[in-house]
Amino acid sequence: YQKIIQYFKPKFLLGMTATPVRTDQKDVTEIFDNNLIHEITREEATLKGWICSFEYRLYKDNIDYSDITWNGSRYEEKDLNEKLMVPKRDKAILKNYSEFLKEERIKTIGFCHSVVYAEYMAKVFREKGYKAEAVHSNCEYLSPEDRKKITRLFRSNEIDIVFTVNIFNEGVDFPDVECLLMLRPTQSQLIMSQQLGRGLRISRKKEHVSVLDFVNNDRNRLEKFQFLGFGEKPKKEKETYYYDNN
């Protein structure tokens, strides 16, 4: 937005963002002479009824992430594909998802680490009778026209679930999404915040969004607890973690 700001040279400039923590580590308040006039947390917004609450389920993952190549900021995509694309894990994800749904159909977004994995998971779910598609920016698999069509069908509830790679992290609005599947490890709280935010919009008859997280064994596990509000030392009792969010 710098070109726009410099072109118009506004006398008064008001900036608003839902993601103040950026991956490039830049401080957005510098653009506004470091004036931060108001800040509201996710918890405050929930209590005020501006966004819905969330129910977070973290499932056991026996993947050994120490075996996966770490390049300093993220896991190698090829290694993740090899470790995560296995029938035993697919069955566990499908079993937990179907048990959670209890035969119902609800609008769901699944977040994946790669195009190959997103296409793979869409196929796995289709074979079990779900109306599932993959959405991403790789034209080798998906044309821009097909991507628009899938997005339109998902919005009108003609598709149950989409598996996406970065496309739906921001810039889209599906208020009636009631379930999120976390299928990719991420070391970025910005990405975690964006992905969780896809389900926090308010919609008629929607009480909360359910998050089913199938990646609990990576190096970011403790940071994930802190991001969700557990604090530094989550209470552990019978392998269940609790957080009092009113």
Side-chain angles (χ1 to χ4, degrees):
Y1 301 107
Q2 290 282 16
K3 285 183 180 179
I4 299 170
I5 294 168
Q6 289 166 8
Y7 177 84
F8 284 104
K9 296 182 174 57
K11 291 181 180 178
F12 176 78
L13 181 62
L14 175 67
M16 292 178 283
T17 179
T19 51
V21 180
R22 295 173 49 85
T23 52
D24 60 12
Q25 305 301 315
K26 290 189 176 180
D27 183 0
V28 293
T29 59
E30 289 179 0
I31 300 170
F32 312 101
D33 297 323
N34 295 307
N35 290 319
L36 179 62
I37 59 172
H38 186 64
E39 183 176 15
I40 185 164
T41 64
R42 188 174 61 244
E43 289 76 21
E44 287 178 278
T46 304
L47 290 173
K48 290 177 182 291
W50 296 346
I51 58 176
C52 72
S53 59
F54 63 90
E55 175 189 78
Y56 207 100
R57 301 183 181 207
L58 190 61
Y59 293 94
K60 276 196 170 183
D61 182 351
N62 62 359
I63 302 297
D64 185 0
Y65 285 86
S66 64
D67 263 358
I68 301 175
T69 305
W70 174 256
N71 68 8
S73 61
R74 60 186 175 84
Y75 293 105
E76 286 295 332
E77 186 177 298
K78 181 176 176 291
D79 290 356
L80 278 174
N81 287 342
E82 290 178 2
K83 284 283 188 178
L84 301 185
M85 292 165 61
V86 290
K88 185 177 179 181
R89 190 171 190 268
D90 303 340
K91 288 178 183 177
I93 290 171
L94 282 163
K95 179 175 178 289
N96 285 303
Y97 183 66
S98 61
E99 286 177 354
F100 163 75
L101 287 185
K102 298 174 183 175
E103 306 304 322
E104 296 176 8
R105 300 265 177 164
I106 62 174
K107 186 174 286 189
T108 302
I109 298 176
F111 294 103
C112 303
H113 69 275
S114 72
V115 171
V116 171
Y117 187 57
E119 292 283 351
Y120 172 82
M121 289 306 297
K123 182 173 181 289
V124 166
F125 271 67
R126 277 198 301 271
E127 289 173 350
K128 284 296 178 180
Y130 294 100
K131 295 177 181 177
E133 296 290 345
V135 176
H136 48 74
S137 58
N138 191 321
C139 293
E140 290 183 24
Y141 292 84
L142 188 69
S143 70
E145 292 74 23
D146 286 339
R147 191 173 82 194
K148 288 178 182 177
K149 180 182 177 182
I150 291 170
T151 303
R152 187 179 71 250
L153 293 175
F154 181 61
R155 190 178 298 281
S156 61
N157 297 315
E158 294 172 71
I159 291 175
D160 301 322
I161 176 170
V162 290
F163 293 92
T164 180
V165 188
N166 297 330
I167 289 292
F168 284 177
N169 281 8
E170 58 183 333
V172 295
D173 187 24
F174 303 107
D176 52 345
V177 164
E178 293 187 66
C179 184
L180 303 174
L181 301 184
M182 302 302 192
L183 302 170
R184 56 162 290 178
T186 177
Q187 312 310 306
S188 167
Q189 288 199 5
L190 168 61
I191 293 175
M192 288 172 64
S193 179
Q194 288 176 332
Q195 291 176 348
L196 180 61
R198 293 315 94 200
L200 297 181
R201 301 285 207 260
I202 295 171
S203 180
R204 246 177 112 247
K205 298 181 180 179
K206 176 178 172 182
E207 294 181 2
H208 62 268
V209 64
S210 296
V211 185
L212 313 186
D213 191 334
F214 295 97
V215 184
N216 87 329
N217 203 30
D218 74 328
R219 61 175 61 224
N220 195 36
R221 180 170 53 181
L222 291 180
E223 286 80 1
K224 186 182 296 183
F225 284 134
Q226 293 170 20
F227 166 76
L228 295 172
F230 285 99
E232 293 183 6
K233 294 182 180 179
K235 175 184 174 184
K236 185 173 182 180
E237 179 185 340
K238 296 181 181 177
E239 299 182 341
T240 302
Y241 294 87
Y242 299 90
Y243 172 57
D244 178 13
N245 193 27
N246 297 305

